[in-house]
C-alpha cells in the first residue's frame, strides 16, 4: 500500500534498505526473504529505481554466506534486469551494472566473488539482453583471473555462450509456435460455446500474430563473442603466457585444455601469430597422453595459412612418428592421419613430399579406419598440392588440372584474388553467343568484335533492365532473380537514365576478345595452355544487368553439377574435403571419427541401440494414427465408437443379426444402399 500513502511511506524504502544492509546476517530467513520481496514490489511500483535495487542487492550477493539468500538475490537481480530491458534497452542501467561487474572482476583477481559477475553476464548474454562489447570485456577479464572457477567460467563463455544463445532463441520460438489454431477452431465449433473458450481463442490468435510479427521483423545483428573482442592478439598472448606457458601452473588438466581450446580458436579465427604455441604442443603429442585427441584438435584449429611451415613441420613429423606405424593400433593410426589431414587442410605447405608419399601408402591398410583416413589425406592433396604426389597417385582431375595450368603450386602468403565468382563463365558464354550471331550473318567468326556490335549488346541489356523496372508483364525480358544466388553488387550510375556510351578503344576490344578466346579454349582443348596473366574484364568494362546475373547463376549451377558428376566416383573424399566454417570448432570427436566409423559394433552396442530406439509401449500403426487424431482434437467415426462400446451392450444386436433370414438381410442391405444415395438418414433434401 506504499503507493497509496506517499506521505507516510516517504522513508519506507530507505528503512528497508538500511535494515537489510545492517542486519541481513542475523535476520530470520523468512523475514529476510520478505524484506527482499518488499523491495522488489517497491521497484515494480516505480517507488525506487532499478539502480537503487541493484546497488542494494548485489553487495549482499557477493558477501552473504547463506546459499538460499544468494539464490534469491541472483534471481531477483536477473528478473529486474530482464524486465527493465523488456520494451526498450535501458542503456543507463546496463552501463552502471556492467561497470560494477567489471570492477568486481578486476579489483581482486584471486577472489572467487567474481564468479557472480560471470554468472550474471552469461545469463544476460544468453537472453540477448547484453550483446555489446562491454559484456565480452567482462568475460575477457574473468578469463585472465587467478581463481580457477572464475577462469573456467570466462573461458566456457567464449567456447559455448553463442551456442547457448542460439538454443535459447530456438526454444523460445518453438514455444510460441506451439499454438494450433485449426484445432482450437474445430473444438469451439463442435463444443458448447463459452466465454472461456472464446478467450482462449483470442489469446491464441494474439500469440500467432506476435509470432508472425517476430518472424517478419529484421533479424538483429548478434555478433559472436569472438568478433567483439577489442584486442584478440593481446588477449591470446596474455592467456598463453599466464595460464599455459608456466611449468608450475596450478590449474588442472581440464582447465588447461579449455584455455588451450580458446587460444587456438582465436588464433585460427583471427589468423593471429603466436609462434611459441606450436612448440608447446610437442610434449603432448603422444598416444599415451591423456585426452590426446583434444590436443590434436587444438593443434589443427590453431593452424591457418599464415603460420610459417617451419613451425608446423616438427609437429606433423612428431604425429607421424608417434601415431602412424604398422605396429600402432588402428584407432591410433586413424586419429594421427586424420589430425595431419586437418592440419594440412589449413596449411598445405606443412607437409613434405617424402612424408606424404609414405602416409598415402596406408590407403592399402586392412584396417578400415586407417584406410579411410589415408584416402582422405590423398584426396586433400589432389586438390591443394598435387605436385607433392607421385604421378600415379594424382588421379585424372589433378593431372588434367596440372597439365592445363589450373592447379598451381602454392606459395607461403598467397592470397586468392577477390572478384565475382564465375565471371569468366559468363564472358565465355557471351563470346560464344556473339560468334553464333556473326556466323548467322555470314561474317567470319574469327574477326575482331566490332564497336557497333558491342554498343547494340549494351542497348539490349538496358532494354532488359527497363522491362524489369516496368514489372507488370511477365512476357517481357524480366527474369525473377531468387535470393539464393551469389552476392553480386549491381553498380548504377544515374537514377533512371542509362549511362552515356563511351567508345572503347581497339586495344580494349582486343583484350576482351583475347581473354574470351583463352577462356573458350580452356574448355574445348586440353593441350593448349591459357595465358595466366589475363584477368576477366567483363565486370570492369560494362554494367551487369539482372538478366546477366541470372545467366551467371545458371552457368555456375551447371558448372557445379558437371564438376560433381565428374567427381561422383569419390563421394567420401568430397565430403571429407568440405571447408569448415571459421566459427565452427574442431573437436576431439572429429579427430576420432574414422576410427569410430570403422570400429565393429559389438553385441552390447547393438542391444543398446535397439533399446534406445524402442518406445515405452508397443503400438500398431492404426493405434498411432488414432492417437495422433485425438491429439489434434479430431473426432472418430461412428464405427470406431461402436467398437469401443461394452460387449454386453452389443450382445443383443449380435444375437439378432445371427438369427436374421436371407430376406431380412436383403432388406437391410437395400435400405442401406438407399440411405447412401440420399446422403444418410437425414438425407440431402
Amino acid at each position: 500500500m506504499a503507493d497509496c500513502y506517499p506521505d507516510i511511506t516517504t522513508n519506507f524504502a530507505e528503512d528497508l534498505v538500511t535494515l537489510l544492509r545492517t542486519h541481513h546476517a542475523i535476520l530470520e530467513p523468512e523475514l529476510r526473504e520478505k524484506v527482499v520481496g518488499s523491495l522488489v514490489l517497491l521497484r515494480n511500483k516505480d517507488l525506487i529505481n532499478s539502480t537503487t535495487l541493484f546497488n542494494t542487492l548485489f553487495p549482499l550477493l557477493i558477501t552473504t554466506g547463506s546459499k538460499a539468500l544468494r539464490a534469491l538475490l541472483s534471481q531477483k537481480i536477473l528478473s529486474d534486469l530482464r524486465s527493465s530491458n523488456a520494451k526498450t534497452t535501458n542503456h543507463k542501467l546496463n552501463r552502471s551494472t556492467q561497470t560494477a561487474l567489471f570492477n568486481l572482476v578486476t579489483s581482486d583477481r584471486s577472489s572467487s566473488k567474481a564468479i557472480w559477475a560471470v554468472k550474471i553476464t552469461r545469463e544476460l548474454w544468453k537472453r540477448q539482453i547484453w550483446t555489446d562489447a562491454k559484456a565480452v570485456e567482462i568475460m575477457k577479464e574473468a578469463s585472465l583471473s587467478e581463481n580457477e572457477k572464475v577462469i573456467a567460467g570466462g573461458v566456457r563463455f567464449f567456447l559455448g555462450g553463442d551456442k547457448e544463445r542460439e538454443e535459447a532463441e530456438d526454444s523460445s520460438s518453438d514455444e510460441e509456435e506451439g499454438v494450433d489454431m485449426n484445432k482450437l477452431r474445430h473444438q469451439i465449433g463442435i463444443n458448447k460455446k463459452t466465454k472461456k473458450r472464446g478467450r482462449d481463442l483470442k489469446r491464441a490468435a494474439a500469440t500467432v500474430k506476435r509470432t508472425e510479427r517476430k518472424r517478419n521483423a529484421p533479424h538483429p545483428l548478434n555478433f559472436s563473442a569472438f568478433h567483439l573482442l577489442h584486442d584478440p592478439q593481446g588477449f591470446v598472448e596474455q592467456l598463453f603466457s599466464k595460464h599455459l606457458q608456466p611449468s608450475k601452473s596450478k590449474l588442472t588438466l581440464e582447465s588447461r585444455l579449455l584455455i588451450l581450446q580458446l587460444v587456438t580458436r582465436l588464433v585460427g579465427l583471427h589468423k593471429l601469430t603466436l609462434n611459441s604455441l606450436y612448440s608447446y604442443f610437442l610434449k603432448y603429442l603422444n598416444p599415451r597422453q591423456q585426452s590426446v585427441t583434444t590436443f590434436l584438435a587444438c593443434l589443427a584449429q590453431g593452424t591457418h595459412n599464415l603460420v610459417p611451415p617451419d613451425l608446423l613441420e616438427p609437429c606433423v613429423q612428431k604425429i607421424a612418428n608417434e601415431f602412424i606405424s604398422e605396429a600402432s593400433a588402428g584407432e591410433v593410426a586413424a586419429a594421427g592421419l586424420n589430425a595431419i589431414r586437418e592440419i594440412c587442410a589449413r596449411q598445405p605447405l606443412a607437409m613434405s613430399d617424402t612424408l606424404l608419399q609414405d602416409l598415402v601408402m596406408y590407403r592399402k591398410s586392412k584396417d578400415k579406419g586407417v584406410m579411410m583416413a589415408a584416402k582422405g589425406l590423398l584426396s586433400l592433396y589432389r586438390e591443394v598440392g598435387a605436385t607433392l604426389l607421385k604421378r600415379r597417385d594424382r588421379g585424372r582431375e589433378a593431372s588434367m588440372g596440372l597439365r592445363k595450368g589450373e592447379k598451381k603450386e602454392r606459395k607461403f602468403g598467397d592470397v586468392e584474388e577477390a572478384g565475382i565468382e564465375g565471371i569468366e563463365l559468363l564472358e565465355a558464354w557471351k563470346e560464344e553467343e556473339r560468334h553464333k550471331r556473326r556466323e548467322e550473318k555470314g561474317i567470319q567468326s574469327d574477326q575482331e568484335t566490332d564497336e557497333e556490335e558491342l554498343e547494340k549488346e549494351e542497348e539490349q541489356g538496358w532494354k532488359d533492365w527497363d522491362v524489369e523496372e516496368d514489372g507488370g508483364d511477365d512476357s517481357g525480358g524480366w527474369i525473377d532473380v531468387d535470393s539464393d544466388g551469389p552476392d553480386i553488387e549491381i553498380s548504377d550510375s544515374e537514377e533512371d537514365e542509362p549511362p552515356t556510351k563511351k567508345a572503347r578503344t581497339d586495344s580494349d576490344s582486343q583484350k576482351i576478345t583475347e581473354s574470351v578466346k583463352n577462356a573458350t579454349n580452356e574448355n574445348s582443348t586440353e593441350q593448349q595452355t591459357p595465358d595466366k596473366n589475363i584477368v576477366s574484364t567483363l565486370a570492369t568494362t560494362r554494367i551487369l544487368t539482372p538478366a546477366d546475373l541470372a545467366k551467371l547463376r545458371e552457368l555456375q549451377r551447371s558448372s557445379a553439377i558437371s564438376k560433381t558428376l565428374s567427381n561422383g566416383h569419390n563421394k567420401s573424399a568430397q565430403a571429407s574435403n568440405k571447408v569448415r566454417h571459421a566459427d565452427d570448432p574442431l573437436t576431439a570427436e572429429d579427430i576420432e571419427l574414422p576410427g569410430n566409423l570403422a570400429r565393429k559394433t559389438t553385441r552390447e552396442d547393438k542391444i543398446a541401440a535397439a533399446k534406445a530406439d524402442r518406445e515405452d509401449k508397443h503400438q500398431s500403426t492404426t493405434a498411432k494414427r488414432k492417437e495422433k487424431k485425438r491429439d489434434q482434437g479430431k473426432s472418430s467415426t461412428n464405427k470406431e465408437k461402436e467398437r469401443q462400446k461394452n460387449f454386453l451392450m452389443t450382445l443383443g444386436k449380435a444375437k439378432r443379426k445371427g438369427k436374421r433370414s436371407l430376406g431380412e438381410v436383403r432388406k437391410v442391405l437395400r435400405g442401406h444402399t438407399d440411405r447412401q444415395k440420399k446422403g444418410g438418414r437425414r438425407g440431402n433434401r
Side-chain angles (χ1 to χ4, degrees), residues 1 5 87 126 169 205 221 252 277 362 376 439 487 497 503 516 520 537 548 556 567 586 598 616 650 679:
M1 302 296 291
Y5 303 97
K87 295 182 180 179
K126 185 176 78 172
E169 186 177 1
L221 295 175
T252 60
L277 174 65
Y362 282 92
E439 287 176 0
D487 296 328
E497 298 179 359
V516 171
T520 309
T537 57
D548 293 337
Q556 285 176 339
N567 296 334
L586 183 67
D616 296 337
T650 60

Side-chain angles (χ1 to χ4, degrees), residues 274-294:
L274 192 65
N275 294 338
S276 56
L277 174 65
Y278 306 99
S279 58
Y280 170 81
F281 278 103
L282 289 174
K283 58 182 177 182
Y284 296 106
L285 300 179
N286 192 306
R288 292 174 294 278
Q289 168 66 41
Q290 185 181 355
S291 304
V292 66
T293 51
T294 305

Side-chain angles (χ1 to χ4, degrees), residues 366-609:
K366 294 181 180 179
D367 188 276
K368 188 177 179 182
V370 177
M371 179 263 294
M372 291 169 59
K375 283 186 176 180
L377 183 64
L378 174 63
S379 62
L380 170 69
Y381 269 90
R382 283 176 176 174
E383 293 289 331
V384 300
T387 55
L388 295 177
L389 295 168
K390 291 183 178 179
R391 182 168 295 182
R392 66 172 183 268
D393 295 332
R394 291 174 184 172
R396 186 184 63 179
E397 297 294 330
S399 300
M400 291 172 59
L402 287 174
R403 192 180 303 122
K404 293 192 297 184
E406 294 177 355
K407 294 184 180 294
K408 305 175 184 177
E409 185 178 356
R410 295 200 176 193
K411 297 180 180 179
F412 178 66
D414 278 353
V415 180
E416 295 182 359
E417 296 179 355
I420 300 176
E421 184 181 358
I423 191 65
E424 65 279 355
L425 298 174
L426 181 63
E427 191 168 5
W429 176 79
K430 282 183 174 294
E431 181 64 20
E432 186 180 351
E433 292 293 318
R434 193 178 297 123
H435 282 314
K436 287 181 181 178
R437 286 196 300 269
R438 293 172 70 87
E439 287 176 0
E440 290 174 359
K441 294 178 182 179
I443 306 173
Q444 294 182 5
S445 60
D446 56 349
Q447 290 180 357
E448 289 185 356
T449 306
D450 208 5
E451 288 185 12
E452 295 180 359
E453 191 171 349
L454 292 173
E455 291 180 357
K456 286 180 181 179
E457 286 185 7
E458 284 191 5
E459 287 182 1
Q460 184 63 33
W462 285 108
K463 285 179 182 177
D464 292 344
W465 201 309
D466 294 337
V467 169
E468 292 170 350
E469 285 177 353
D470 293 340
D473 189 9
D474 292 333
S475 62
W478 175 254
I479 297 175
D480 189 13
V481 182
D482 51 6
S483 61
D484 57 353
D487 296 328
I488 303 174
E489 294 184 1
I490 305 172
S491 57
D492 291 339
S493 54
E494 298 296 326
E495 293 182 356
D496 289 329
E497 298 179 359
T500 57
K501 304 184 184 78
K502 296 182 179 179
R504 289 190 178 89
T505 60
D506 293 337
S507 60
D508 290 337
S509 302
Q510 188 174 0
K511 284 182 181 178
I512 296 172
T513 309
E514 288 176 0
S515 63
V516 171
K517 283 182 181 178
N518 287 325
T520 309
N521 292 334
E522 272 187 4
N523 298 328
S524 59
T525 61
E526 295 179 4
Q527 281 76 17
Q528 187 174 357
T529 304
D531 190 0
K532 300 177 185 177
N533 297 326
I534 294 180
V535 183
S536 174
T537 57
L538 181 63
T540 58
T541 55
R542 58 171 302 193
I543 296 174
L544 299 180
T545 63
D548 293 337
L549 300 181
K551 188 63 183 177
L552 175 61
R553 275 189 287 275
E554 181 184 345
L555 293 171
Q556 285 176 339
R557 282 193 290 266
S558 61
S559 175
I561 290 171
S562 61
K563 187 176 180 181
T564 305
L565 290 175
S566 63
N567 296 334
H569 61 278
N570 198 358
K571 293 181 180 178
S572 60
Q574 291 178 13
S576 63
N577 288 338
K578 284 184 179 178
V579 180
R580 187 185 301 272
H581 194 272
D583 286 343
D584 295 336
L586 183 67
T587 59
E589 288 76 14
D590 299 325
I591 300 295
E592 300 169 1
L593 187 60
N596 292 337
L597 290 176
R599 184 173 59 87
K600 293 183 179 180
T601 55
T602 60
R603 182 173 179 272
E604 290 76 13
D605 295 338
K606 293 179 181 178
I607 293 174

Side-chain angles (χ1 to χ4, degrees), residues 239 437 618:
L239 273 177
R437 286 196 300 269
H618 175 72

